[in-house]
């Protein structure tokens, strides 16, 4: 049985299930990414149910136990090593069937909906708390590797207008790692973006800094992702579109909100700091005067 076939089975039998098993079934349908990476007890705890309910649900669906049901989700993950290649076929098929305009509009509309989901009150509460944590930091480190790099770079670049203590962990060779192995403090905060497929080095650096008592604010796509599990504040973003690659736009929107919150809550004369930075950039001739 495939995951898609299992989802159809759950939906077909949903109304006939006891109330608690319905809760478990609804949780599985809503959070399929958590199933292969968490234990049955952890999943039940997240769903607010006894672990035995997960077992009863599995047996109601015709499985010998929950592990047998869970194996379907694990098999799905193992088959996703070439997920971009698989999505490419769907992208081409959509273009052939509906045309370029429909493809482009669907991509834009999906991304807009992902951004709108950030306005959910619970989501915004997390973003505001993350902004407060960053504003209280002695020093802020930014970490974003591979496709997520633009997120970390934008945060560090804009924040440098008013906070000289923001450092992007980057550099050729191992210079990025060398920049953080000395002088870390429990008063520091790591701002990390780690979206699947997860960059291994970002995970290892985050774990190292967590072990050094550095607080962590993360942008990720799954509450059970490796970085999310060690973070003090986790901001979840949606990334799936009809394209073969994932959108970074919601993550970038979160970054811009955090920058605004950080600027508004930084102590001192932020206006003068921004003005001074602008004047120096003009003096260096980095910007083109249009008037």
């Amino acid at each position: 049985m495939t995951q898609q076939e299992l989802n159809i089975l759950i939906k077909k039998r949903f109304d006939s299930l006891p109330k608690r098993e319905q809760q478990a079934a609804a949780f599985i349908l809503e959070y399929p990414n958590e199933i292969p990476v968490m234990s049955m007890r952890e999943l039940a705890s997240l769903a607010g149910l006894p672990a035995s309910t997960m077992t009863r649900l599995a047996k109601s669906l015709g499985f010998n136990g929950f592990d047998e049901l869970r194996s379907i989700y694990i098999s799905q993950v193992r088959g996703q090593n070439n997920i971009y290649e698989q999505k490419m076929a769907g992208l081409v098929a959509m273009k052939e069937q509906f045309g370029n305009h429909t493809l482009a509009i669907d991509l834009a509309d999906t991304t807009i909906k992902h951004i709108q989901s950030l306005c959910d009150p619970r989501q915004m509460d997390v973003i505001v708390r993350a902004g407060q944590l960053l504003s209280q930091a002695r020093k802020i480190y930014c970490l974003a590797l591979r496709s997520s790099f633009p997120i970390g770079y934008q945060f560090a670049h804009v924040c440098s207008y008013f906070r000289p203590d923001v450092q992007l962990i980057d550099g050729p060779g191992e210079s990025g790692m060398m920049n953080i192995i000395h002088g870390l403090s429990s008063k520091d905060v790591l701002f990390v973006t780690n979206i699947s497929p997860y960059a291994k080095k970002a995970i290892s650096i985050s774990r190292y800094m967590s072990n050094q008592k550095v607080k962590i604010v993360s942008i990720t796509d799954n509450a059970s992702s490796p970085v999310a599990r060690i973070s003090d504040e986790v901001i979840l973003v949606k990334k799936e579109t009809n394209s073969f690659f994932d959108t970074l736009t919601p993550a970038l929107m979160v970054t811009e909100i955090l920058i605004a919150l950080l600027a508004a809550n930084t102590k001192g004369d932020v206006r003068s700091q921004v003005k001074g930075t602008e004047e120096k950039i003009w003096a260096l001739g980095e910007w083109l005067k249009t008037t």
Side-chain angles (χ1 to χ4, degrees), residues 257-273:
I257 295 171
L258 290 175
I259 293 170
L261 290 169
L262 184 57
N265 289 280
T266 293
K267 296 178 180 179
D269 191 350
V270 176
R271 180 178 177 182
S272 294
Q273 290 175 316

Side-chain angles (χ1 to χ4, degrees), residues 139-143 156 164-170 175-176 179-180:
K139 186 170 185 176
I140 300 173
Y141 294 91
C142 303
L143 176 61
D165 55 357
V166 177
Q167 179 179 325
L168 181 65
I169 302 175
D170 179 43
S175 60
N179 288 333
I180 64 167

Side-chain angles (χ1 to χ4, degrees), residues 10 13-14 17-18 20-26 28 51-63 65-66 69:
I10 292 174
R13 297 191 183 178
F14 190 87
L17 295 171
R20 282 197 167 183
E21 289 180 34
Q22 285 184 345
Q23 288 179 249
I28 288 174
S52 58
T53 304
M54 294 295 185
T55 301
R56 288 198 300 272
L57 170 63
K59 291 184 176 180
S60 295
L61 295 172
F63 297 97
F66 187 79
L69 182 152

Side-chain angles (χ1 to χ4, degrees), residues 105-162:
I105 290 171
D106 184 76
L107 175 59
D109 185 56
T110 300
T111 304
I112 289 169
K113 289 178 181 177
H114 288 347
I115 294 173
Q116 288 176 331
S117 69
L118 298 175
C119 297
D120 179 275
R122 291 171 296 181
Q123 179 79 307
M124 195 53 64
D125 284 346
V126 177
I127 294 174
V128 170
R129 289 201 308 269
Q132 291 172 339
L133 187 58
L134 289 165
S135 68
Q136 297 164 1
R138 182 199 69 151
K139 186 170 185 176
I140 300 173
Y141 294 91
C142 303
L143 176 61
L145 303 180
R146 301 191 64 80
S147 63
S148 297
F149 178 77
I151 307 301
Y153 179 83
Q154 174 72 353
F155 184 89
H157 171 69
V158 179
C159 286
S160 66
Y161 275 73
F162 59 92

Side-chain angles (χ1 to χ4, degrees), residues 197-247:
Y198 305 114
K200 288 185 177 180
K201 180 170 281 190
I203 297 169
S204 62
I205 293 175
S206 298
R207 284 174 176 164
Y208 172 80
M209 297 183 75
S210 176
N211 290 336
Q212 300 302 309
K213 309 304 180 185
V214 173
K215 295 180 176 62
I216 298 178
V217 169
S218 64
I219 296 178
T220 186
D221 59 325
N222 193 309
S224 60
S225 71
V227 165
R229 296 177 201 171
I230 59 174
S231 295
D232 296 272
E233 295 292 350
V234 181
I235 303 170
L236 297 177
V237 293
K238 297 180 180 180
K239 62 185 181 65
E240 294 83 5
T241 68
N242 61 27
S243 185
F244 77 94
F245 59 87
D246 299 319
T247 178

Side-chain angles (χ1 to χ4, degrees), residues 9 42 52 98-99 101 109 112 174 195 217 239 252 256 264 267 277 280 285:
L9 175 63
E42 289 173 327
S52 58
F98 300 107
H101 281 78
D109 185 56
I112 289 169
E174 292 299 319
I195 297 172
V217 169
K239 62 185 181 65
L252 184 59
E256 294 181 348
K267 296 178 180 179
T277 303
K280 290 172 184 175

Side-chain angles (χ1 to χ4, degrees), residues 60-72:
S60 295
L61 295 172
F63 297 97
N64 292 324
F66 187 79
D67 284 345
E68 188 175 335
L69 182 152
R70 184 169 174 264
S71 67
I72 294 174

